[in-house]
Amino acid sequence: MHRISDIRMSGISRRNFIMFRSLCGDTTLTNVLIVTNMWGDVSDQVGATREQQLATDPILFKPILDMGAKMMRHTNNRESAHAILSYFIDKGQTVLQIQDELVVQGKAVGQTAAGLELNREIEEEKRRHQEEIERQRREAEAQAAA
């Protein structure tokens, strides 16, 4: 679900989306449905513009749409909810990438694409934290010297 009323896709949303892709894998994307909601909070023109941006921007949803995912609107009514649910009725079961990696390939969680992505995020967060500590240390030293 993505709120069409959001002006941009936040960092946490992007990180969650990257993790989602790591868990699912690219072969399952034909079973993925990106649902936009909150259409009542924006004009039709603004919503359509944002929807187009989401669908065509290579750092947003374009890559998975190109691999078979679909995008639908939930307009806060029964008909759109039924259309969304109906989309999944004829979809077959699929094996997620994380399932394949853990069960079939016998990988440890840390060796899976999702585990590697999580470790990458942890290392990035550690790096940012260290930079912040160093910045604060320099500021404290500068204040003490003044």
Side-chain angles (χ1 to χ4, degrees), residues 12 26 28-30 33-34 54 56 63-64 66 71 78-79 111-112 115 117 119 125-126 129-130 146:
I12 191 71
D26 291 342
T28 64
L29 292 177
T30 56
L33 184 61
I34 299 166
L54 291 168
T56 58
I64 71 161
D66 289 347
M71 208 157 82
R78 183 177 292 201
E79 293 78 21
Q111 297 171 323
T112 65
E117 177 60 27
N119 286 332
E125 197 60 37
K126 281 181 186 177
H129 182 69
Q130 281 303 119

Side-chain angles (χ1 to χ4, degrees), residues 109-121:
V109 173
Q111 297 171 323
T112 65
L116 293 170
E117 177 60 27
L118 184 58
N119 286 332
R120 187 198 64 72
E121 283 185 26

Side-chain angles (χ1 to χ4, degrees), residues 65-77:
L65 293 171
D66 289 347
M67 290 188 250
K70 301 288 182 218
M71 208 157 82
M72 290 181 77
R73 296 178 181 185
H74 177 32
T75 54
N76 204 28
N77 61 41

Side-chain angles (χ1 to χ4, degrees), residues 33-92:
L33 184 61
I34 299 166
V35 176
T36 54
N37 64 352
M38 307 301 283
W39 283 89
D41 292 354
V42 297
S43 70
D44 290 342
Q45 182 180 358
V46 168
T49 300
R50 289 183 185 160
E51 184 179 51
Q52 182 66 20
Q53 181 184 15
L54 291 168
T56 58
D57 192 321
I59 63 168
L60 299 175
F61 298 138
K62 182 182 183 339
I64 71 161
L65 293 171
D66 289 347
M67 290 188 250
K70 301 288 182 218
M71 208 157 82
M72 290 181 77
R73 296 178 181 185
H74 177 32
T75 54
N76 204 28
N77 61 41
R78 183 177 292 201
E79 293 78 21
S80 67
H82 281 216
I84 291 163
L85 293 174
S86 295
Y87 174 81
F88 292 107
I89 289 176
D90 294 328
K91 293 289 182 183

Side-chain angles (χ1 to χ4, degrees), residues 1 5 8 16 24 27-28 37 52 54 65-66 71-73 84 87 94 97-98 101 104 107 124-125 134 144:
M1 281 262 191
S5 58
R8 56 187 156 84
N16 287 342
C24 294
T27 61
T28 64
N37 64 352
Q52 182 66 20
L54 291 168
L65 293 171
D66 289 347
M71 208 157 82
M72 290 181 77
R73 296 178 181 185
I84 291 163
Y87 174 81
T94 186
Q97 180 170 317
I98 188 78
E101 290 174 325
V104 177
K107 291 182 177 181
E124 177 65 20
E125 197 60 37
E134 183 61 26

